[in-house]
Amino acid sequence: MKLLLIVPHPDDEVYGASGTLMTYLQEGHECGLVTLTRGEAGRTLGLCEGPEELARMRQVELAACLDVIGLKVHEQHQFPDKHLREQPREPLIEVARDAMLRHRPEIVLTFPPNGSNGHPDHVTTHEAVKAAWDSLPEGQRPRLWYYANDSAPENEELLTLWLRPNVRHEVGAFMTRKLHAIACHRTQALSTVDFIRKFPDRIAQETFYEVSE
């Protein structure tokens, strides 16, 4: 496998990495996605009622998004959305470790230490993936990438853990499909608007930080 994403929520795969996934898939590489929660604690935007209905809707949205991307390998877990921090850490680490050992990816992608935006689920996912990666023998570790942004966070706490990108992928050739994939996540319309408003340059260029051994 070329690239394996391990992220907490449905839609965490699309904004910052869908163009990279499309690039690798078009080149004939296998890619995969591990989603830790069903996203049941998110906004409904009046599209559904209650957490369980939202989880089902987000499952449908994610399936549609992955179909646009062309991604076939997806593992869905059911850890509680917005409450990863309160969960025992070892099961999360084991999910990440097991996925790395089974798929043997060249690259694993997850959130950076500050979670990009400080979201507790993002931060906890980072910690679990990094612990799983650290637990592997050095010769068996994949390359480890984090989502990264050129713009420094205004929040001082986020800034102390900010990592400047050192990997860049031009994905403009896939812009139409990327926007289509993003739009599949209808319940995340406000997140989409916020992302495009704050980071319009990351539609055509996806940026990451690669961890040194």
Side-chain angles (χ1 to χ4, degrees):
M1 179 175 285
K2 180 72 172 181
L3 175 62
L4 176 67
L5 278 70
I6 304 177
V7 294
H9 309 118
D11 84 298
D12 285 339
E13 76 294 328
V14 73
Y15 298 106
S18 55
T20 297
L21 286 167
M22 291 177 199
T23 300
Y24 286 151
L25 291 167
Q26 181 170 281
E27 292 173 352
H29 299 292
E30 185 179 49
C31 298
L33 169 67
V34 175
T35 309
L36 297 177
T37 81
R38 299 186 300 156
E40 70 275 6
R43 305 183 186 100
T44 66
L45 302 186
L47 297 171
C48 58
E49 295 183 7
E52 189 56 39
E53 187 176 352
L54 177 60
R56 291 195 297 269
M57 177 172 280
R58 296 194 72 178
Q59 181 179 11
V60 172
E61 291 175 343
L62 180 56
C65 172
L66 299 186
D67 187 55
V68 172
I69 294 171
L71 189 66
K72 306 297 184 186
V73 180
H74 176 229
E75 299 174 10
Q76 178 68 61
H77 295 272
Q78 299 191 25
F79 293 99
D81 184 19
K82 287 194 178 177
H83 295 283
L84 290 186
R85 179 177 285 174
E86 293 90 63
Q87 299 304 300
R89 195 55 53 91
E90 190 54 40
L92 289 165
I93 295 171
E94 186 54 37
V95 163
R97 182 191 295 117
D98 176 66
M100 292 185 211
L101 290 174
R102 282 187 293 107
H103 294 297
R104 299 289 182 182
E106 177 184 330
I107 306 160
V108 166
L109 170 62
T110 193
F111 281 96
N114 66 6
S116 293
N117 60 3
H119 192 302
D121 283 359
H122 294 183
V123 174
T124 301
T125 299
H126 159 79
E127 293 170 353
V129 173
K130 182 61 162 58
W133 186 81
D134 285 338
S135 74
L136 299 177
E138 287 191 18
Q140 296 182 29
R141 290 176 186 166
R143 296 161 63 189
L144 181 58
W145 286 5
Y146 300 147
Y147 284 128
N149 182 32
D150 282 304
S151 301
E154 296 180 1
N155 181 296
E156 190 65 32
E157 187 175 346
L158 298 180
L159 181 59
T160 60
L161 296 173
W162 174 55
L163 297 170
R164 189 183 298 274
N166 57 16
V167 176
R168 299 176 186 276
H169 284 179
E170 298 295 335
V171 297
F174 297 97
M175 189 179 300
T176 298
R177 280 177 61 197
K178 179 173 179 176
L179 291 172
H180 184 186
I182 289 172
C184 290
H185 290 284
R186 295 177 62 220
T187 58
Q188 305 309 299
L190 294 180
S191 296
T192 295
V193 170
D194 285 344
F195 181 84
I196 294 175
R197 176 173 57 84
K198 293 177 182 178
F199 312 114
D201 52 314
R202 292 181 66 193
I203 297 296
Q205 184 185 76
E206 294 176 352
T207 51
F208 313 97
Y209 175 85
E210 180 165 354
V211 176
S212 299
E213 286 279 359

Short mmCIF file of all heavy atoms in Angstrom, two decimals, residues 8 14 49 57 63 80 84 86 88 91 99 107 114 117 119 121 125-126 149 153 169 181 192 198 200 202 213:
data_model
loop_
_atom_site.label_atom_id
_atom_site.label_comp_id
_atom_site.label_asym_id
_atom_site.label_seq_id
_atom_site.Cartn_x
_atom_site.Cartn_y
_atom_site.Cartn_z
N PRO A 8 -9.92 10.56 12.74
CA PRO A 8 -11.05 10.27 13.62
C PRO A 8 -12.43 10.35 12.98
O PRO A 8 -13.33 9.59 13.36
CB PRO A 8 -10.92 11.33 14.73
CG PRO A 8 -10.14 12.43 14.12
CD PRO A 8 -9.23 11.80 13.11
N VAL A 14 -10.87 14.23 3.29
CA VAL A 14 -11.16 14.83 1.99
C VAL A 14 -10.50 16.19 1.78
O VAL A 14 -10.01 16.48 0.69
CB VAL A 14 -12.69 14.92 1.77
CG1 VAL A 14 -13.34 16.00 2.61
CG2 VAL A 14 -13.01 15.12 0.29
N GLU A 49 -32.17 13.98 12.46
CA GLU A 49 -32.48 14.18 13.87
C GLU A 49 -31.70 13.18 14.72
O GLU A 49 -31.84 11.98 14.55
CB GLU A 49 -33.98 13.99 14.12
CG GLU A 49 -34.86 15.04 13.43
CD GLU A 49 -36.33 14.86 13.77
OE1 GLU A 49 -36.63 14.01 14.65
OE2 GLU A 49 -37.16 15.55 13.16
N MET A 57 -26.22 8.94 8.27
CA MET A 57 -26.10 9.85 7.13
C MET A 57 -24.64 10.08 6.77
O MET A 57 -24.27 10.08 5.58
CB MET A 57 -26.78 11.18 7.44
CG MET A 57 -26.63 12.22 6.34
SD MET A 57 -27.63 13.69 6.60
CE MET A 57 -29.22 13.07 6.05
N ALA A 63 -19.23 7.13 2.08
CA ALA A 63 -19.19 6.15 0.98
C ALA A 63 -19.23 6.85 -0.37
O ALA A 63 -18.51 6.48 -1.30
CB ALA A 63 -20.35 5.17 1.12
N PRO A 80 -16.30 6.58 20.30
CA PRO A 80 -17.26 7.66 20.47
C PRO A 80 -16.74 9.01 19.97
O PRO A 80 -15.69 9.48 20.41
CB PRO A 80 -17.54 7.69 21.97
CG PRO A 80 -16.34 7.06 22.59
CD PRO A 80 -15.85 6.05 21.60
N LEU A 84 -12.79 10.77 22.24
CA LEU A 84 -11.63 9.89 22.14
C LEU A 84 -10.66 10.11 23.31
O LEU A 84 -10.02 9.16 23.77
CB LEU A 84 -10.89 10.12 20.82
CG LEU A 84 -11.59 9.67 19.53
CD1 LEU A 84 -10.66 9.84 18.35
CD2 LEU A 84 -12.06 8.23 19.63
N GLU A 86 -11.26 10.55 26.34
CA GLU A 86 -11.65 9.84 27.57
C GLU A 86 -11.55 8.33 27.43
O GLU A 86 -11.77 7.60 28.41
CB GLU A 86 -13.09 10.20 27.96
CG GLU A 86 -13.30 11.63 28.40
CD GLU A 86 -13.66 12.55 27.24
OE1 GLU A 86 -14.73 12.34 26.63
OE2 GLU A 86 -12.87 13.47 26.96
N PRO A 88 -9.84 4.55 26.87
CA PRO A 88 -8.55 3.89 27.11
C PRO A 88 -7.67 4.01 25.86
O PRO A 88 -8.14 3.78 24.75
CB PRO A 88 -8.94 2.44 27.39
CG PRO A 88 -10.36 2.51 27.85
CD PRO A 88 -10.98 3.65 27.10
N PRO A 91 -6.59 0.55 23.10
CA PRO A 91 -7.36 0.10 21.94
C PRO A 91 -7.17 0.98 20.71
O PRO A 91 -7.12 0.47 19.58
CB PRO A 91 -8.81 0.15 22.45
CG PRO A 91 -8.70 -0.03 23.92
CD PRO A 91 -7.44 0.69 24.31
N ALA A 99 -3.47 -1.81 11.73
CA ALA A 99 -3.64 -1.36 10.35
C ALA A 99 -2.30 -1.22 9.64
O ALA A 99 -2.15 -1.60 8.48
CB ALA A 99 -4.40 -0.03 10.31
N ILE A 107 3.51 5.01 3.44
CA ILE A 107 3.29 6.26 4.16
C ILE A 107 2.04 6.14 5.00
O ILE A 107 1.01 5.62 4.54
CB ILE A 107 3.10 7.44 3.17
CG1 ILE A 107 4.26 7.54 2.19
CG2 ILE A 107 2.90 8.76 3.93
CD1 ILE A 107 3.92 8.34 0.93
N ASN A 114 -0.74 19.26 17.30
CA ASN A 114 -1.76 20.22 17.74
C ASN A 114 -3.14 19.93 17.15
O ASN A 114 -4.08 20.71 17.34
CB ASN A 114 -1.34 21.66 17.43
CG ASN A 114 -1.25 21.95 15.94
OD1 ASN A 114 -1.60 21.13 15.11
ND2 ASN A 114 -0.76 23.14 15.61
N ASN A 117 -6.30 22.02 14.41
CA ASN A 117 -7.17 23.07 14.96
C ASN A 117 -7.43 22.89 16.46
O ASN A 117 -8.30 23.56 17.01
CB ASN A 117 -8.49 23.11 14.20
CG ASN A 117 -9.27 21.79 14.28
OD1 ASN A 117 -8.83 20.86 14.97
ND2 ASN A 117 -10.37 21.70 13.58
N HIS A 119 -8.73 20.28 17.91
CA HIS A 119 -9.84 19.37 18.23
C HIS A 119 -9.31 18.19 19.04
O HIS A 119 -8.35 17.53 18.64
CB HIS A 119 -10.48 18.87 16.94
CG HIS A 119 -11.79 18.17 17.12
ND1 HIS A 119 -11.94 17.05 17.91
CD2 HIS A 119 -13.02 18.44 16.62
CE1 HIS A 119 -13.20 16.66 17.87
NE2 HIS A 119 -13.87 17.50 17.10
N ASP A 121 -10.28 15.16 19.47
CA ASP A 121 -10.22 13.90 18.73
C ASP A 121 -9.03 13.87 17.79
O ASP A 121 -8.40 12.83 17.59
CB ASP A 121 -11.50 13.67 17.93
CG ASP A 121 -12.67 13.21 18.78
OD1 ASP A 121 -12.49 13.04 20.00
OD2 ASP A 121 -13.77 13.04 18.22
N THR A 125 -6.00 11.22 18.23
CA THR A 125 -5.65 10.36 17.10
C THR A 125 -4.16 10.48 16.78
O THR A 125 -3.48 9.48 16.54
CB THR A 125 -6.50 10.71 15.87
OG1 THR A 125 -7.88 10.50 16.17
CG2 THR A 125 -6.11 9.85 14.67
N HIS A 126 -3.66 11.72 16.77
CA HIS A 126 -2.22 11.90 16.57
C HIS A 126 -1.42 11.09 17.59
O HIS A 126 -0.47 10.37 17.23
CB HIS A 126 -1.83 13.37 16.70
CG HIS A 126 -0.38 13.56 17.02
ND1 HIS A 126 0.61 13.46 16.05
CD2 HIS A 126 0.27 13.76 18.20
CE1 HIS A 126 1.79 13.60 16.63
NE2 HIS A 126 1.62 13.79 17.93
N ASN A 149 0.08 23.08 7.44
CA ASN A 149 -0.38 24.28 6.77
C ASN A 149 0.69 25.36 6.86
O ASN A 149 1.34 25.53 7.89
CB ASN A 149 -1.69 24.76 7.42
CG ASN A 149 -2.24 25.99 6.74
OD1 ASN A 149 -2.09 26.16 5.54
ND2 ASN A 149 -2.90 26.84 7.50
N PRO A 153 -0.73 29.23 13.14
CA PRO A 153 -1.95 29.44 13.91
C PRO A 153 -1.87 30.73 14.73
O PRO A 153 -0.81 31.10 15.23
CB PRO A 153 -2.01 28.22 14.84
CG PRO A 153 -1.08 27.21 14.24
CD PRO A 153 -0.03 27.99 13.53
N HIS A 169 2.17 18.62 -2.61
CA HIS A 169 1.64 17.93 -3.78
C HIS A 169 0.71 18.87 -4.54
O HIS A 169 -0.29 19.35 -3.98
CB HIS A 169 0.85 16.68 -3.38
CG HIS A 169 1.72 15.53 -2.99
ND1 HIS A 169 1.23 14.32 -2.58
CD2 HIS A 169 3.07 15.39 -2.97
CE1 HIS A 169 2.22 13.50 -2.31
NE2 HIS A 169 3.35 14.13 -2.54
N ALA A 181 -15.91 15.52 -4.29
CA ALA A 181 -15.76 14.66 -3.11
C ALA A 181 -16.08 15.43 -1.83
O ALA A 181 -16.78 14.93 -0.94
CB ALA A 181 -14.35 14.09 -3.05
N THR A 192 -16.84 23.00 5.36
CA THR A 192 -16.36 23.23 3.99
C THR A 192 -16.17 24.71 3.74
O THR A 192 -15.13 25.14 3.21
CB THR A 192 -17.35 22.64 2.97
OG1 THR A 192 -17.38 21.22 3.12
CG2 THR A 192 -16.95 22.99 1.56
N LYS A 198 -10.56 29.93 4.82
CA LYS A 198 -9.28 30.08 5.50
C LYS A 198 -8.10 29.59 4.67
O LYS A 198 -7.00 30.15 4.73
CB LYS A 198 -9.30 29.31 6.82
CG LYS A 198 -10.25 29.87 7.86
CD LYS A 198 -10.26 28.99 9.11
CE LYS A 198 -11.24 29.49 10.14
NZ LYS A 198 -11.28 28.60 11.34
N PRO A 200 -7.88 28.63 0.96
CA PRO A 200 -8.24 28.37 -0.45
C PRO A 200 -7.10 27.76 -1.26
O PRO A 200 -7.34 27.00 -2.20
CB PRO A 200 -8.61 29.77 -0.98
CG PRO A 200 -7.93 30.73 -0.05
CD PRO A 200 -7.94 30.06 1.29
N ARG A 202 -5.18 25.46 -0.39
CA ARG A 202 -5.03 24.02 -0.15
C ARG A 202 -6.03 23.18 -0.95
O ARG A 202 -6.05 21.97 -0.80
CB ARG A 202 -5.14 23.73 1.35
CG ARG A 202 -3.95 24.30 2.12
CD ARG A 202 -4.04 24.01 3.59
NE ARG A 202 -3.92 22.58 3.87
CZ ARG A 202 -4.22 22.03 5.04
NH1 ARG A 202 -4.67 22.79 6.02
NH2 ARG A 202 -4.07 20.73 5.23
N GLU A 213 13.03 10.14 11.16
CA GLU A 213 13.23 9.00 12.05
C GLU A 213 14.01 9.43 13.30
O GLU A 213 14.91 10.24 13.21
CB GLU A 213 14.01 7.89 11.33
CG GLU A 213 13.18 7.14 10.32
CD GLU A 213 12.32 6.06 10.96
OE1 GLU A 213 12.39 5.90 12.18
OE2 GLU A 213 11.59 5.38 10.23
#
